[in-house]
Amino acid sequence: MTAKTSAKPATSARNSATSAQTFTDEERAALQERAQELKKSKRGPQPSASADADGEAAVLAKIAEMEEGDRVLAERLHVLMMQHAPTLSPRLWYGMPAYARHGKVMCFFQSARKFKTRYATLGFSDQAALDDGNVWPTTFALKALTPEDEVTITAMIRRALS
């Protein structure tokens, strides 16, 4: 006769890890900013030119709030985006400057200060066509922007749009 064992429900490692962790103050603030962005977007349809102008004004205001090092990077990236990706619409995404196509974020700038990291980042979402084989980078650390770096970023922006 075989012994019958009682089966225990499987708990995933993710569930147990998640229950033991909490969001940082910075992550909670980003989530609250995203909730506000979603509230604003549900207030009804707006003409696209007006929405683009509002989005750009919000991005520029957010950039103006940044500390000098991050602000300089974000301002330069904004200029590059507007020059080389005029089809993208500036908007805020989790309180970060972002650029979207058809309402979907394609790339974003995260200041170093936002999550208390040692460098800012330029990130691309899955909407960006950066695919290169089975593995490719989607987030890039930024500490400064040289003219050579701007050429590299411009090429990434163009590739992302293809």
Coordinates of all heavy atoms in Angstrom, one line a residue, residues 37-109:
E37 N -1.3 61.3 -14.5 CA -1.2 61.3 -16.0 C -2.4 60.6 -16.6 O -3.0 61.1 -17.6 CB 0.1 60.7 -16.5 CG 1.4 61.5 -16.1 CD 2.6 60.6 -16.2 OE1 2.6 59.5 -16.7 OE2 3.6 61.1 -15.6
L38 N -2.7 59.4 -16.1 CA -3.9 58.7 -16.6 C -5.2 59.4 -16.4 O -6.0 59.4 -17.2 CB -3.9 57.3 -16.0 CG -2.8 56.4 -16.4 CD1 -2.8 55.1 -15.6 CD2 -2.9 56.0 -17.9
K39 N -5.3 60.1 -15.2 CA -6.5 60.9 -14.9 C -6.7 62.0 -16.0 O -7.8 62.2 -16.5 CB -6.5 61.5 -13.6 CG -7.0 60.6 -12.5 CD -7.0 61.4 -11.2 CE -7.4 60.6 -10.0 NZ -7.3 61.3 -8.7
K40 N -5.6 62.7 -16.2 CA -5.6 63.8 -17.2 C -6.0 63.2 -18.6 O -6.7 63.9 -19.4 CB -4.3 64.5 -17.3 CG -4.1 65.4 -16.1 CD -2.7 66.1 -16.2 CE -2.4 66.9 -14.9 NZ -1.1 67.5 -15.0
S41 N -5.5 62.1 -19.0 CA -5.7 61.5 -20.3 C -7.2 61.1 -20.5 O -7.6 61.0 -21.6 CB -4.8 60.4 -20.6 OG -5.1 59.2 -19.9
K42 N -7.9 60.8 -19.4 CA -9.2 60.3 -19.5 C -10.2 61.5 -19.4 O -11.4 61.2 -19.5 CB -9.5 59.4 -18.3 CG -8.8 58.0 -18.5 CD -9.2 57.1 -17.4 CE -8.4 55.8 -17.7 NZ -8.8 54.7 -16.9
R43 N -9.8 62.7 -19.4 CA -10.7 63.8 -19.4 C -11.4 64.1 -20.7 O -12.1 65.1 -20.8 CB -10.0 65.1 -18.9 CG -9.7 65.0 -17.4 CD -9.2 66.3 -16.9 NE -8.8 66.1 -15.5 CZ -7.8 66.7 -14.9 NH1 -7.1 67.5 -15.5 NH2 -7.5 66.4 -13.6
G44 N -11.1 63.3 -21.7 CA -11.8 63.5 -22.9 C -10.8 63.7 -24.1 O -9.7 64.2 -23.8
P45 N -11.2 63.5 -25.3 CA -10.4 63.7 -26.4 C -10.0 65.2 -26.6 O -10.9 66.1 -26.4 CB -11.2 63.2 -27.6 CG -12.6 63.2 -27.1 CD -12.6 63.1 -25.7
Q46 N -8.8 65.4 -27.0 CA -8.3 66.8 -27.3 C -7.8 66.8 -28.7 O -7.3 65.8 -29.2 CB -7.2 67.2 -26.3 CG -7.6 67.2 -24.9 CD -6.5 67.4 -23.9 OE1 -5.3 67.3 -24.3 NE2 -6.8 67.7 -22.7
P47 N -7.8 68.0 -29.3 CA -7.2 68.0 -30.7 C -5.7 67.7 -30.5 O -5.1 68.1 -29.6 CB -7.4 69.5 -31.1 CG -8.5 70.0 -30.2 CD -8.5 69.2 -28.9
S48 N -5.2 67.0 -31.5 CA -3.8 66.5 -31.4 C -2.8 67.6 -31.3 O -1.8 67.5 -30.6 CB -3.5 65.6 -32.6 OG -3.6 66.3 -33.8
A49 N -3.0 68.7 -32.0 CA -2.0 69.8 -31.9 C -2.0 70.4 -30.5 O -0.9 70.7 -29.9 CB -2.3 70.9 -32.9
S50 N -3.2 70.5 -29.9 CA -3.3 71.0 -28.5 C -2.7 70.0 -27.6 O -2.0 70.4 -26.6 CB -4.7 71.3 -28.2 OG -4.9 71.6 -26.8
A51 N -2.9 68.7 -27.7 CA -2.4 67.7 -26.9 C -0.9 67.7 -27.0 O -0.2 67.5 -26.0 CB -3.0 66.3 -27.2
D52 N -0.3 67.8 -28.2 CA 1.1 67.8 -28.4 C 1.7 69.0 -27.7 O 2.8 68.9 -27.0 CB 1.5 67.8 -29.9 CG 1.3 66.5 -30.5 OD1 1.0 65.5 -29.8 OD2 1.4 66.4 -31.8
A53 N 1.1 70.2 -27.8 CA 1.6 71.4 -27.1 C 1.5 71.2 -25.6 O 2.5 71.6 -24.9 CB 0.8 72.6 -27.6
D54 N 0.4 70.7 -25.1 CA 0.3 70.4 -23.7 C 1.4 69.4 -23.2 O 2.0 69.6 -22.2 CB -1.1 69.9 -23.3 CG -2.2 70.9 -23.5 OD1 -1.8 72.1 -23.6 OD2 -3.3 70.5 -23.5
G55 N 1.6 68.4 -24.0 CA 2.6 67.4 -23.7 C 4.0 68.0 -23.6 O 4.8 67.7 -22.7
E56 N 4.3 68.8 -24.6 CA 5.6 69.4 -24.7 C 5.8 70.4 -23.5 O 6.9 70.4 -22.9 CB 5.9 70.1 -26.0 CG 7.3 70.6 -26.0 CD 7.8 71.1 -27.4 OE1 6.9 71.3 -28.3 OE2 9.0 71.2 -27.6
A57 N 4.8 71.1 -23.2 CA 4.9 72.1 -22.1 C 5.1 71.3 -20.8 O 5.9 71.7 -19.9 CB 3.6 72.9 -22.0
A58 N 4.4 70.2 -20.6 CA 4.6 69.4 -19.4 C 6.0 68.8 -19.3 O 6.7 68.8 -18.2 CB 3.6 68.2 -19.3
V59 N 6.5 68.3 -20.4 CA 7.9 67.8 -20.5 C 8.9 68.9 -20.2 O 9.8 68.7 -19.4 CB 8.2 67.2 -21.9 CG1 9.7 66.9 -22.1 CG2 7.5 65.8 -22.0
L60 N 8.8 70.1 -20.8 CA 9.7 71.2 -20.5 C 9.6 71.6 -19.1 O 10.7 71.9 -18.5 CB 9.4 72.3 -21.5 CG 9.8 72.0 -22.9 CD1 9.3 73.2 -23.8 CD2 11.3 71.7 -23.1
A61 N 8.4 71.6 -18.5 CA 8.3 72.0 -17.1 C 9.0 71.0 -16.2 O 9.7 71.3 -15.2 CB 6.8 72.1 -16.7
K62 N 8.9 69.7 -16.5 CA 9.5 68.6 -15.7 C 11.0 68.7 -15.8 O 11.8 68.6 -14.9 CB 9.0 67.2 -16.2 CG 9.6 66.1 -15.4 CD 9.2 66.2 -13.9 CE 7.8 65.8 -13.6 NZ 7.4 65.7 -12.2
I63 N 11.5 69.0 -17.0 CA 13.0 69.2 -17.3 C 13.5 70.4 -16.5 O 14.5 70.3 -15.8 CB 13.3 69.3 -18.8 CG1 13.0 68.0 -19.5 CG2 14.7 69.8 -19.0 CD1 13.1 68.1 -21.0
A64 N 12.7 71.5 -16.4 CA 13.1 72.7 -15.7 C 13.3 72.4 -14.2 O 14.0 73.1 -13.5 CB 12.1 73.8 -15.9
E65 N 12.5 71.4 -13.7 CA 12.6 71.1 -12.2 C 13.8 70.3 -11.9 O 14.2 70.2 -10.7 CB 11.4 70.2 -11.9 CG 10.1 70.9 -11.9 CD 8.9 69.9 -11.7 OE1 9.1 68.7 -11.4 OE2 7.7 70.4 -11.8
M66 N 14.5 69.7 -12.9 CA 15.6 68.8 -12.6 C 16.9 69.6 -12.1 O 17.0 70.8 -12.4 CB 16.0 68.1 -13.9 CG 14.9 67.1 -14.3 SD 15.4 66.3 -15.8 CE 13.9 65.4 -16.2
E67 N 17.7 68.9 -11.4 CA 19.0 69.5 -11.0 C 19.9 69.7 -12.3 O 19.6 69.0 -13.3 CB 19.7 68.6 -10.0 CG 19.0 68.5 -8.7 CD 19.7 67.7 -7.6 OE1 20.8 67.2 -7.9 OE2 19.2 67.6 -6.5
E68 N 20.8 70.5 -12.2 CA 21.6 71.0 -13.4 C 22.1 69.9 -14.3 O 21.9 69.9 -15.5 CB 22.7 71.9 -13.0 CG 23.5 72.5 -14.2 CD 24.6 73.4 -13.8 OE1 24.8 73.6 -12.6 OE2 25.2 73.9 -14.7
G69 N 22.8 68.9 -13.7 CA 23.4 67.8 -14.6 C 22.3 67.1 -15.4 O 22.5 66.9 -16.6
D70 N 21.2 66.7 -14.7 CA 20.2 66.0 -15.4 C 19.4 66.9 -16.3 O 19.0 66.5 -17.4 CB 19.2 65.4 -14.3 CG 19.7 64.2 -13.6 OD1 20.6 63.5 -14.1 OD2 19.2 64.0 -12.5
R71 N 19.2 68.2 -15.9 CA 18.5 69.1 -16.7 C 19.3 69.3 -18.1 O 18.6 69.3 -19.1 CB 18.4 70.5 -16.0 CG 17.5 71.4 -16.8 CD 17.2 72.7 -16.0 NE 18.4 73.4 -15.6 CZ 18.9 73.5 -14.4 NH1 18.3 73.0 -13.4 NH2 20.0 74.2 -14.2
V72 N 20.6 69.5 -18.0 CA 21.4 69.7 -19.3 C 21.2 68.5 -20.2 O 21.0 68.7 -21.4 CB 22.9 69.9 -18.9 CG1 23.7 69.9 -20.1 CG2 23.0 71.3 -18.2
L73 N 21.3 67.3 -19.7 CA 21.1 66.1 -20.5 C 19.7 66.0 -21.1 O 19.5 65.8 -22.3 CB 21.3 64.8 -19.6 CG 22.8 64.5 -19.2 CD1 22.8 63.4 -18.2 CD2 23.6 64.2 -20.4
A74 N 18.7 66.3 -20.2 CA 17.3 66.2 -20.7 C 17.0 67.2 -21.7 O 16.3 67.0 -22.7 CB 16.3 66.3 -19.5
E75 N 17.5 68.5 -21.5 CA 17.3 69.5 -22.5 C 17.9 69.1 -23.9 O 17.2 69.3 -24.9 CB 17.9 70.8 -22.1 CG 17.1 71.5 -20.9 CD 17.8 72.7 -20.3 OE1 19.1 72.8 -20.5 OE2 17.2 73.4 -19.6
R76 N 19.1 68.6 -23.9 CA 19.7 68.2 -25.1 C 19.0 67.1 -25.8 O 18.8 67.0 -27.0 CB 21.2 67.9 -24.9 CG 22.0 67.8 -26.1 CD 22.0 69.1 -26.9 NE 22.4 68.8 -28.3 CZ 21.8 69.4 -29.3 NH1 20.9 70.3 -29.2 NH2 22.1 69.0 -30.5
L77 N 18.6 66.1 -25.0 CA 17.8 64.9 -25.5 C 16.5 65.4 -26.1 O 16.1 64.9 -27.2 CB 17.6 63.9 -24.5 CG 18.8 63.0 -24.2 CD1 18.4 62.1 -23.0 CD2 19.2 62.2 -25.4
H78 N 15.9 66.4 -25.5 CA 14.6 66.9 -26.0 C 14.8 67.5 -27.4 O 14.0 67.3 -28.3 CB 14.0 67.9 -25.0 CG 12.7 68.4 -25.5 ND1 11.5 67.7 -25.5 CD2 12.4 69.7 -26.0 CE1 10.5 68.4 -25.9 NE2 11.0 69.6 -26.2
V79 N 15.9 68.3 -27.5 CA 16.2 69.0 -28.8 C 16.4 67.9 -29.8 O 15.9 68.0 -30.9 CB 17.4 69.9 -28.6 CG1 17.9 70.3 -30.0 CG2 17.0 71.1 -27.8
L80 N 17.2 66.9 -29.5 CA 17.5 65.8 -30.5 C 16.2 65.1 -30.9 O 16.0 64.8 -32.0 CB 18.4 64.8 -29.9 CG 19.9 65.2 -29.7 CD1 20.7 64.2 -28.9 CD2 20.5 65.5 -31.0
M81 N 15.3 64.8 -29.9 CA 14.0 64.2 -30.2 C 13.2 65.0 -31.1 O 12.6 64.5 -32.1 CB 13.3 63.9 -28.9 CG 13.9 62.8 -28.0 SD 14.3 61.3 -28.8 CE 12.7 60.7 -29.2
M82 N 13.1 66.3 -30.8 CA 12.3 67.2 -31.7 C 12.8 67.4 -33.1 O 12.1 67.5 -34.0 CB 12.1 68.5 -31.0 CG 11.4 68.4 -29.6 SD 9.9 67.5 -29.5 CE 8.8 68.5 -30.4
Q83 N 14.2 67.3 -33.2 CA 14.8 67.5 -34.5 C 14.7 66.2 -35.3 O 14.4 66.3 -36.5 CB 16.3 67.9 -34.4 CG 16.5 69.3 -33.9 CD 18.0 69.6 -33.7 OE1 18.8 68.7 -33.6 NE2 18.3 70.8 -33.6
H84 N 15.0 65.1 -34.7 CA 15.1 63.8 -35.4 C 13.9 62.9 -35.3 O 13.9 61.9 -36.0 CB 16.4 63.1 -35.0 CG 17.6 64.0 -35.2 ND1 18.1 64.2 -36.5 CD2 18.4 64.7 -34.3 CE1 19.2 65.0 -36.4 NE2 19.3 65.3 -35.1
A85 N 13.0 63.2 -34.5 CA 11.8 62.4 -34.4 C 10.5 63.2 -34.3 O 9.8 63.2 -33.3 CB 11.9 61.4 -33.2
P86 N 10.3 64.1 -35.3 CA 9.2 65.0 -35.1 C 7.8 64.3 -35.1 O 6.8 65.0 -34.7 CB 9.3 65.9 -36.4 CG 10.1 65.1 -37.3 CD 11.0 64.3 -36.5
T87 N 7.8 63.1 -35.5 CA 6.5 62.3 -35.5 C 6.1 61.9 -34.1 O 5.0 61.4 -33.9 CB 6.5 61.1 -36.4 OG1 7.6 60.3 -36.0 CG2 6.7 61.6 -37.9
L88 N 7.1 61.9 -33.2 CA 6.8 61.5 -31.8 C 6.2 62.7 -31.0 O 6.6 63.8 -31.2 CB 8.1 61.0 -31.1 CG 8.7 59.7 -31.7 CD1 9.9 59.3 -30.9 CD2 7.7 58.6 -31.8
S89 N 5.4 62.4 -30.1 CA 4.7 63.4 -29.2 C 5.4 63.4 -27.9 O 5.4 62.4 -27.2 CB 3.2 63.1 -29.1 OG 2.6 63.1 -30.4
P90 N 5.9 64.5 -27.4 CA 6.4 64.6 -26.0 C 5.2 64.5 -25.0 O 4.1 65.0 -25.3 CB 7.0 66.0 -25.9 CG 6.7 66.7 -27.2 CD 6.0 65.8 -28.1
R91 N 5.5 63.8 -23.9 CA 4.5 63.6 -22.9 C 5.3 63.2 -21.6 O 6.4 62.8 -21.7 CB 3.4 62.6 -23.3 CG 4.0 61.2 -23.6 CD 3.0 60.3 -23.9 NE 2.4 59.7 -22.7 CZ 1.7 58.6 -22.6 NH1 1.5 57.9 -23.7 NH2 1.2 58.2 -21.5
L92 N 4.6 63.2 -20.5 CA 5.1 62.6 -19.3 C 4.7 61.2 -19.2 O 3.6 60.8 -19.6 CB 4.7 63.4 -18.1 CG 5.2 64.8 -18.0 CD1 4.7 65.5 -16.7 CD2 6.7 64.9 -18.0
W93 N 5.6 60.4 -18.6 CA 5.4 59.0 -18.4 C 6.0 58.6 -17.0 O 7.2 58.7 -16.9 CB 5.9 58.2 -19.5 CG 5.6 56.7 -19.5 CD1 4.4 56.1 -19.6 CD2 6.6 55.6 -19.5 NE1 4.5 54.7 -19.6 CE2 5.9 54.4 -19.6 CE3 8.0 55.6 -19.4 CZ2 6.5 53.2 -19.5 CZ3 8.6 54.4 -19.4 CH2 7.8 53.2 -19.5
Y94 N 5.2 58.3 -16.0 CA 5.7 58.1 -14.7 C 6.5 59.3 -14.2 O 7.5 59.1 -13.5 CB 6.5 56.8 -14.6 CG 5.7 55.5 -14.7 CD1 5.5 55.0 -16.0 CD2 5.0 55.0 -13.7 CE1 4.8 53.8 -16.2 CE2 4.2 53.8 -13.8 CZ 4.1 53.3 -15.1 OH 3.3 52.2 -15.2
G95 N 6.1 60.5 -14.6 CA 6.7 61.7 -14.2 C 8.1 61.9 -14.9 O 8.8 62.8 -14.5
M96 N 8.3 61.2 -16.0 CA 9.6 61.4 -16.7 C 9.3 61.9 -18.1 O 8.2 61.5 -18.7 CB 10.3 60.0 -16.9 CG 10.7 59.4 -15.6 SD 11.5 57.8 -15.8 CE 10.1 56.7 -16.1
P97 N 10.2 62.7 -18.7 CA 10.0 63.1 -20.1 C 10.0 61.8 -21.0 O 10.9 61.0 -20.8 CB 11.2 63.9 -20.4 CG 11.7 64.4 -19.0 CD 11.4 63.3 -18.1
A98 N 9.0 61.8 -21.9 CA 8.9 60.6 -22.8 C 8.4 61.1 -24.1 O 7.9 62.2 -24.3 CB 7.9 59.6 -22.2
Y99 N 8.5 60.2 -25.1 CA 8.2 60.5 -26.5 C 7.4 59.3 -27.0 O 7.9 58.2 -27.0 CB 9.4 60.9 -27.3 CG 10.2 62.0 -26.6 CD1 11.1 61.8 -25.6 CD2 9.9 63.3 -26.9 CE1 11.7 62.8 -25.0 CE2 10.5 64.4 -26.3 CZ 11.4 64.1 -25.3 OH 12.0 65.1 -24.6
A100 N 6.2 59.6 -27.5 CA 5.3 58.5 -27.9 C 4.8 58.6 -29.3 O 4.8 59.7 -29.9 CB 4.0 58.6 -27.0
R101 N 4.5 57.5 -29.9 CA 3.9 57.4 -31.2 C 2.5 56.7 -31.1 O 2.5 55.7 -30.5 CB 4.8 56.6 -32.2 CG 4.2 56.5 -33.5 CD 5.0 55.9 -34.6 NE 6.0 54.9 -34.2 CZ 7.0 54.5 -35.1 NH1 7.1 55.0 -36.3 NH2 7.8 53.6 -34.6
H102 N 1.5 57.4 -31.6 CA 0.1 56.9 -31.5 C -0.2 56.6 -30.0 O -0.9 55.6 -29.8 CB -0.1 55.7 -32.4 CG 0.4 55.9 -33.8 ND1 -0.2 56.8 -34.6 CD2 1.4 55.3 -34.5 CE1 0.4 56.8 -35.8 NE2 1.3 55.9 -35.7
G103 N 0.2 57.4 -29.1 CA -0.1 57.3 -27.7 C 0.7 56.3 -26.9 O 0.6 56.1 -25.7
K104 N 1.6 55.6 -27.6 CA 2.4 54.6 -26.9 C 3.9 55.1 -26.8 O 4.5 55.5 -27.8 CB 2.4 53.3 -27.7 CG 1.0 52.7 -27.7 CD 1.0 51.3 -28.3 CE -0.4 50.8 -28.3 NZ -0.5 49.3 -28.4
V105 N 4.4 55.1 -25.6 CA 5.7 55.6 -25.3 C 6.8 54.7 -26.0 O 6.7 53.5 -26.0 CB 6.0 55.6 -23.8 CG1 7.5 55.8 -23.5 CG2 5.1 56.6 -23.1
M106 N 7.6 55.4 -26.8 CA 8.7 54.8 -27.5 C 10.0 54.9 -26.7 O 10.8 54.0 -26.7 CB 8.8 55.4 -28.9 CG 9.9 54.7 -29.7 SD 9.8 54.8 -31.4 CE 8.2 54.1 -31.8
C107 N 10.3 56.1 -26.2 CA 11.5 56.3 -25.4 C 11.3 57.3 -24.3 O 10.3 58.1 -24.3 CB 12.7 56.7 -26.3 SG 12.4 58.2 -27.2
F108 N 12.2 57.3 -23.3 CA 12.0 58.1 -22.2 C 13.4 58.5 -21.6 O 14.4 57.8 -21.8 CB 11.1 57.5 -21.1 CG 11.7 56.2 -20.6 CD1 12.5 56.1 -19.5 CD2 11.4 55.0 -21.3 CE1 13.1 54.9 -19.1 CE2 11.9 53.8 -20.8 CZ 12.8 53.7 -19.7
F109 N 13.4 59.6 -20.8 CA 14.6 60.0 -20.1 C 14.3 59.9 -18.6 O 13.3 60.3 -18.1 CB 14.9 61.4 -20.4 CG 16.1 62.0 -19.6 CD1 17.4 61.6 -19.9 CD2 15.8 62.8 -18.5 CE1 18.4 62.1 -19.1 CE2 16.9 63.3 -17.7 CZ 18.2 62.9 -18.0

